[in-house]
Amino acid sequence: GYAIVDEEFELGLVGASAPIRDASNRIVAVINVSAPKTRIGAHLHQVGEIVKRVGNAASVKLGAAA
């Protein structure tokens, strides 16, 4: 999955993050996209889906199950 941040840390800032896993299925890194809410706020869940796909692809390259 992915996680969403909607102005939780700073007003006007939103972001989406997804885990990157290794062959043991442990989280070893995270991919994140952050931007002003005026730029991606209306598309935040779409950005979340994109970072999830990228995180999954990186995980597979590290040996995680597809």
Side-chain angles (χ1 to χ4, degrees):
Y2 61 90
I4 294 293
V5 174
D6 189 350
E7 297 185 302
E8 293 173 26
F9 298 115
E10 185 174 332
L11 287 177
L13 183 66
V14 297
S17 303
I20 298 173
R21 300 176 183 275
D22 67 6
S24 299
N25 207 36
R26 292 178 302 177
I27 296 173
V28 294
V30 174
I31 183 168
N32 176 62
V33 173
S34 298
K37 190 169 189 169
T38 56
R39 286 188 178 211
I40 65 170
H43 306 285
L44 194 51
H45 286 282
Q46 290 171 316
V47 172
E49 289 294 330
I50 292 167
V51 295
K52 181 175 81 171
R53 281 197 311 266
V54 172
N56 288 341
S59 297
V60 168
K61 293 210 179 260
L62 291 175

